[in-house]
């Protein structure tokens, strides 16, 4: 095979952790989990469209990673040599393959099945750290390159913006061809004979085509979710609704305590925290960690303890009878559980601006991940909000954007942001804070070109050019699906513990436990809970504590397992 015929991608500055060399001890450990194979020049080890692939360690020879194999635009992403391993985070998440691996010479490789890779991640701490870091860094580089599925659709179409959010929130590497002004998009839909009325479309690795898929159908096609084939009548011990840090913690600790556990999440595991680029005040990580890394580690633990994950489906109704609770989902499945932990979180409020919906997802954003930063790279942006999420977003965006302005209605950041973030922002030359300032208008036709600001102290108006507006203001709880059955505060957040009114009809004679709602056996943790502290560490603590309270509640009703099987975490 002649690699010179293929153009190669310039990946930019390379971190050594992207392609670490394995030592003899590490190779010896990995050999226990895999099988050696001889390969010949040109042999395809896995290809785009495959449902899964092995972790491959190169022992002799070389292997190249290729995008669009066999197509006119085929490119080599990277080439690996002896003592290096292939793969990225999709190997752990179960996402279907969107690149190909081809041997560049005769040689030998070690193949480790994906199931064994998860065993390695659980039982080999040193290798786990090395592999996970390499996978995350590689995924970041592939996201920059726009590898993976291709979305074709109009920026003005609500379904296009919905699919963009699915890709972004699930941290999926992808490429968007905007219908307006893109000759490539127009040529592609003509070639595929797709009428504009059937857009948006998603072209999957391997060539499959999805026409305006539902979020669940898209995740299912990528191997990240599975539509139910039948209504499961079996009762699980614990149902966790919501897959942010609080929900993930509850699922991991519930399963580790021997409870049959189902975790349901509508958009993406990791929640809003999963989109955070750097969490620096979480205990045990002095250098900080990204939301993606936190979510990836938590998901690995959930898989280790046997949590059943329902991704891409939203809860739509709750009912209870005879000590059992039933949650209906929009995919048609109803899950019955002895106990329920609600961790559905909250969504950031929207600014009351004309034409806001025209730019949401394509100029106005509610998260600052690698994908949003890439879209705004090299231009100025405005961040609205004074909490930690806004501060973390500003620091991350300042790496790529020429100017970052934080607009807050208050006089300073001190009342709502952690001191460590304030210090970093004050010292950063590309970030400026505009106190007592509101965004009152959006400027632009096809693209967001600027925002109108009002200084509430001087009542002066100004126009600021931007390529992105990032909104992190307040939040509304995602509790509407409960239909008001559980006690709420004036803003819709669920009341728990002693905050539940004495005269609430659901409460009866039972005294609610600390995180228990007005209905015995149903708990609430994280941002959906009234008076919760909006910090990742707090959410994780509440999720794990709620599991202990689940046991306390079922003990009082006589349904508890006398001595539940426990697994050390």
């Amino acid at each position: 095979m002649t690699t010179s015929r293929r153009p190669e991608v310039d990946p930019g500055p390379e971190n050594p952790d992207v392609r670490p060399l394995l030592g003899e001890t590490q190779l010896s450990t990995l050999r226990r989990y895999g099988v050696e194979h001889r390969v010949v020049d040109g042999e395809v080890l896995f290809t785009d469209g495959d449902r899964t692939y092995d972790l491959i360690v190169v022992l002799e020879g070389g292997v190249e990673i290729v995008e669009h194999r066999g197509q006119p635009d085929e490119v080599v992403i990277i080439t690996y040599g002896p003592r290096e391993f292939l793969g990225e985070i999709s190997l752990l998440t179960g996402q279907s393959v969107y690149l190909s691996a081809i041997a560049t010479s005769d040689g030998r490789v070690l193949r480790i099945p994906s199931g064994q890779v998860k065993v390695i991640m659980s039982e080999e701490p040193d290798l786990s750290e090395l592999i996970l870091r390499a996978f995350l860094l590689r995924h970041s580089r592939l996201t920059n390159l726009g590898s993976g599925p291709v979305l074709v659709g109009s920026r003005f179409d609500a379904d296009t913006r919905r699919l963009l959010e699915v890709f972004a929130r699930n941290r999926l590497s992808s490429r968007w061809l905007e219908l307006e002004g893109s000759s490539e998009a127009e040529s592609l839909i003509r070639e595929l004979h797709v009428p504009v009325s059937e857009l948006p479309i998603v072209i999957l690795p391997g060539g499959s085509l999805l026409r305006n898929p539902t979020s669940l159908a898209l995740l299912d096609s990528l191997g990240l979710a599975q539509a139910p084939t039948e209504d499961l009548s079996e009762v699980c011990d614990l149902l966790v609704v919501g897959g942010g840090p609080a929900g993930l913690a509850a699922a991991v600790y519930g399963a580790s305590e021997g409870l049959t556990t189902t975790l349901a999440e509508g958009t993406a595991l990791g929640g809003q925290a999963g989109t955070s680029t750097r969490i620096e005040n979480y205990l045990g990580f002095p250098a900080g960690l990204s939301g993606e890394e936190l979510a990836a580690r938590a998901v690995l633990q959930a898989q280790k303890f046997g949590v059943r994950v329902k991704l891409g489906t939203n809860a739509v109704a709750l009912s209870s009878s005879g000590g059992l609770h039933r949650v209906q989902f929009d995919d048609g499945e109803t899950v019955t559980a002895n106990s329920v932990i609600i961790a559905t979180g909250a969504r950031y409020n929207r600014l009351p601006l004309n034409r806001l919906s025209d730019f949401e997802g394509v100029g106005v954003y509610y998260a600052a991940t690698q994908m949003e930063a890439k879209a705004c790279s090299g231009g100025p942006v405005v961040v609205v909000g004074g909490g930690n999420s806004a501060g973390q977003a500003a620091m991350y965006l300042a790496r790529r954007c020429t100017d970052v302005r934080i607009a807050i209605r208050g006089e300073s950041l001190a009342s709502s942001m952690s001191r460590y973030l304030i210090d970093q922002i004050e010292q950063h030359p590309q970030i400026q804070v505009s106190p007592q300032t509101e965004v009152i208008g959006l400027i632009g036709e096809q693209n967001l070109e600027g925002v109108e600001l009002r200084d509430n102290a001087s009542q002066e108006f100004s126009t600021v050019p931007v390529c992105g507006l990032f909104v992190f203001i307040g939040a509304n709880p995602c509790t509407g699906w409960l239909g008001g059955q559980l006690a709420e505060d004036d803003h819709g957040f669920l009341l728990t513990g002693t905050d539940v009114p004495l005269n609430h009809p659901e409460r009866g004679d039972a005294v609610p436990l600390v995180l228990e709602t007005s209905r015995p056996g149903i708990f609430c943790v994280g941002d959906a809970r009234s008076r919760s502290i909006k910090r990742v560490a707090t959410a994780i603590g509440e999720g794990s504590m709620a599991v202990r309270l689940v046991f306390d509640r079922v003990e009082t009703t006589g349904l508890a397992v006398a001595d539940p099987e426990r697994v050390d975490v």
Side-chain angles (χ1 to χ4, degrees), residues 461-533:
F461 298 85
S462 60
T463 299
V464 177
V466 299
C467 59
L469 175 66
F470 292 80
V471 183
F472 301 94
I473 55 167
N476 288 316
C478 300
T479 55
W481 62 278
L482 296 167
Q485 297 181 63
L486 308 181
E488 303 174 346
D489 64 16
D490 293 339
H491 302 286
F493 293 89
L494 297 183
L495 298 173
T496 57
T498 56
D499 289 337
V500 176
L502 293 172
N503 61 351
H504 193 278
E506 292 273 3
R507 177 168 173 167
D509 296 330
V511 177
L513 300 174
V514 178
L515 299 173
E516 193 171 27
T517 68
S518 55
R519 183 173 298 177
I522 298 181
F523 300 79
C524 183
V525 296
D527 290 355
R529 190 175 67 83
S530 180
R531 300 202 299 169
S532 65
I533 298 174

Side-chain angles (χ1 to χ4, degrees), residues 226-234 308 310 331-335:
Q226 185 173 358
T229 56
E230 58 182 345
D231 188 29
L232 300 179
S233 58
E234 187 173 328
R308 180 199 172 211
K310 277 178 58 66
D331 64 352
E333 182 181 357
T334 297
V335 177

Side-chain angles (χ1 to χ4, degrees), residues 150-154 160 176-177 179 185 188-189 199-203:
V150 176
L151 169 65
V152 182
S154 168
T160 298
W176 174 36
L177 296 180
L179 185 62
L188 190 57
I189 62 175
L199 296 179
I201 60 172
V202 178
I203 304 169

Side-chain angles (χ1 to χ4, degrees), residues 300-315:
L300 285 173
Q301 287 178 297
Q303 293 172 341
K304 172 182 177 180
F305 294 120
V307 175
R308 180 199 172 211
V309 178
K310 277 178 58 66
L311 184 60
T313 60
N314 293 292

Side-chain angles (χ1 to χ4, degrees), residues 29-35 111-113 116 119-120 123-124:
T29 300
L30 289 173
R31 282 190 170 96
R32 300 204 307 264
Y33 296 92
V35 178
R111 280 186 173 272
I112 304 173
Q116 288 296 98
V119 175
I120 294 171
E123 299 183 359
E124 306 291 346

Side-chain angles (χ1 to χ4, degrees), residues 107 161 214 269 355:
R161 295 197 294 269
T214 64
L269 295 174
R355 300 183 61 221

